[in-house]
Amino acid sequence: MSSTILTGGPVRTMTDDGHVPEAVLIHDGVVQAIGTLTEMRRSAYETPEIVDLDGRTLMPGFVDAHAHTILHGSAIDWVDLSGARSIDDVVHLLGDRATARPGEAVRGYGYDQSKLVEGRHPSAADLDRVTRDRVVQIQHASGHGYVVNTLALRQANITAATPTPIGGRIDRDADGEPTGVLFDSACDLLTGAEGVKVRNHGPNFHLPMTHAEIDHLFDLGQRSLLEAGITTMCDAQVTQLEMDSYLRARDEGRLRMRTEMLALSSNLEHLTGLGMSSRLGDDQLRLWGVKLYADGSVIARTAYLNGHACCGKPSPNGYLYHEPEELTALITTAHRLGLSTATHAQGPLPIGVVLDAVASARAERPRT
């Protein structure tokens, strides 16, 4: 344990008597007290280290209330497609990665079809131009879907006979053949037999990866958040993959952020079976609540907007992940477990369903 006194910098607070303190006492990384330098010396648990800020300002860490550590790591590690303005740009950027990392799957993140001159998603045929003998997978900027090449479709056994799952989308050509575009629950098909399955409970971010690959993405994402001054965050979609990753990072001493977790609603039955009745965890890592999805993504044009305009254009209907009664039951179950709920809802109808469900749950079991 260690004590540090910071002085010599502006402290942006005021004591009850109206004085601006000149020093801050920190013990084991936590601010303990503010006041005069003499008072802080007296309050220290042991002989403190004195650090002169030399005019700099001590700031509290920022809190990010909605982040995804591993997904953020993917955005850093995979090919950055956010600047692509044509499908040729996408192919070129991916081709550079294929050359630089021979033998590896080629993965990219952040394309947005509305920013491409073609005005459409790339297709499996487009990605086949990168390589036909390796898997190519690119994630949409929303995180809600992927485009994959022909080899990836073949390995996932996605064919014209594959039904489109509830709460998902498989784009098909005039002959009914998959084009390589998959969104939301359809991405379950890409995770492999032992991979994460979210069913109609939300987008599936995950692709088949080893623990070492997952840990690498986790560490990249965490480092980036910390470098931005974010020391506390809420991971707003935790499946068994994220939970395992956070616990492994904690046990190995790699978890450096305070983290609140929202378990994806596909895990509610398991939480119920465990006898959960309140939040679980400690100041560093805590299961705080449940993440639910009512409908899809606006920029992916899968949100259930029911004919309302989107970005100045007529919008397709998109889809609901759950019928209203099912979503209400999920929110009510989470509330009964003593857990908070955070629900992704885009269109007017889904938002109304969520508000009604929350009101119903609170009426049944009032709590602060």
Side-chain angles (χ1 to χ4, degrees):
M1 298 197 298
S2 61
S3 294
T4 303
I5 294 175
L6 301 178
T7 188
V11 180
R12 305 301 188 189
T13 188
M14 199 175 277
T15 59
D16 291 340
D17 58 7
H19 291 95
V20 176
E22 63 182 27
V24 178
L25 173 64
I26 296 177
H27 184 68
D28 281 350
V30 179
V31 173
Q32 298 289 335
I34 58 175
T36 67
L37 182 57
T38 300
E39 289 170 337
M40 295 304 97
R41 286 181 186 276
R42 200 178 298 132
S43 300
Y45 298 99
E46 55 191 33
T47 302
E49 177 188 8
I50 308 296
V51 176
D52 188 345
L53 291 175
D54 192 24
R56 293 170 295 179
T57 302
L58 172 67
M59 298 282 290
F62 296 116
V63 176
D64 190 329
H66 185 152
H68 307 281
T69 305
I70 294 172
L71 181 64
H72 184 48
S74 300
I76 297 168
D77 187 62
W78 297 354
V79 179
D80 181 4
L81 301 177
S82 61
R85 293 298 176 262
S86 70
I87 290 173
D88 282 346
D89 286 349
V90 171
V91 171
H92 175 73
L93 290 165
L94 294 170
D96 287 346
R97 174 62 62 91
T99 301
R101 298 187 183 181
E104 293 185 10
V106 183
R107 289 170 175 160
Y109 179 88
Y111 87 90
D112 182 344
Q113 81 287 353
S114 69
K115 296 179 179 178
L116 304 179
V117 295
E118 296 86 355
R120 65 172 176 85
H121 297 277
S123 67
D126 294 319
L127 299 189
D128 286 344
R129 293 163 52 196
V130 178
T131 176
R132 289 178 174 271
D133 59 4
R134 278 187 273 166
V135 165
V136 182
Q137 299 152 321
I138 61 173
Q139 193 169 30
H140 189 261
S142 65
H144 278 243
Y146 285 93
V147 183
V148 302
N149 69 346
T150 300
L151 178 60
L153 286 174
R154 190 181 308 128
Q155 289 185 354
N157 296 314
I158 301 171
T159 68
T162 303
T164 300
I166 296 171
R169 166 179 156 191
I170 300 175
D171 285 7
R172 306 173 192 269
D173 64 19
D175 297 321
E177 295 292 337
T179 65
V181 178
L182 300 98
F183 271 81
D184 298 310
S185 64
C187 295
D188 279 4
L189 301 169
L190 301 175
T191 65
E194 303 301 321
V196 173
K197 308 298 179 187
V198 303
R199 308 191 308 277
N200 62 320
H201 290 265
N204 194 335
F205 302 148
H206 304 304
L207 297 172
M209 287 184 285
T210 65
H211 274 172
E213 290 172 318
I214 294 167
D215 288 348
H216 173 64
L217 298 180
F218 179 94
D219 291 342
L220 282 177
Q222 178 176 237
R223 186 183 309 127
S224 173
L225 292 167
L226 289 168
E227 287 173 350
I230 296 166
T231 58
T232 299
M233 56 86 73
C234 174
D235 194 315
Q237 181 168 326
V238 172
T239 68
Q240 59 266 44
L241 185 147
E242 282 86 7
M243 178 66 75
D244 180 60
S245 182
Y246 278 112
L247 293 175
R248 196 162 57 248
R250 182 201 63 187
D251 293 347
E252 294 174 359
R254 293 186 295 109
L255 182 60
R256 298 169 57 201
M257 297 182 295
R258 293 185 180 93
T259 304
E260 310 278 3
M261 298 182 291
L262 297 176
L264 189 61
S265 57
S266 55
N267 296 289
L268 258 176
E269 58 194 279
H270 304 301
L271 298 179
T272 303
L274 282 171
M276 288 281 294
S277 60
S278 186
R279 295 181 292 274
L280 179 69
D282 55 31
D283 187 52
Q284 185 182 34
L285 183 64
R286 177 163 49 173
L287 178 60
W288 178 259
V290 176
K291 173 65 176 290
L292 305 101
Y293 285 82
D295 63 344
S297 159
V298 169
I299 62 172
R301 300 180 72 77
T302 59
Y304 193 82
L305 300 182
N306 203 23
H308 289 74
C310 172
C311 307
K313 300 177 181 178
S315 178
N317 278 343
Y319 43 77
L320 298 173
Y321 286 99
H322 310 278
E323 291 300 318
E325 296 78 11
E326 182 184 9
L327 183 62
T328 299
L330 290 168
I331 289 175
T332 301
T333 298
H335 184 68
R336 288 171 181 165
L337 295 179
L339 298 172
S340 298
T341 61
T343 307
H344 166 111
Q346 303 286 288
L349 188 148
I351 290 172
V353 171
V354 173
L355 293 175
D356 289 345
V358 169
S360 174
R362 288 169 60 88
E364 176 198 284
R365 186 168 298 190
R367 75 164 195 260
T368 56

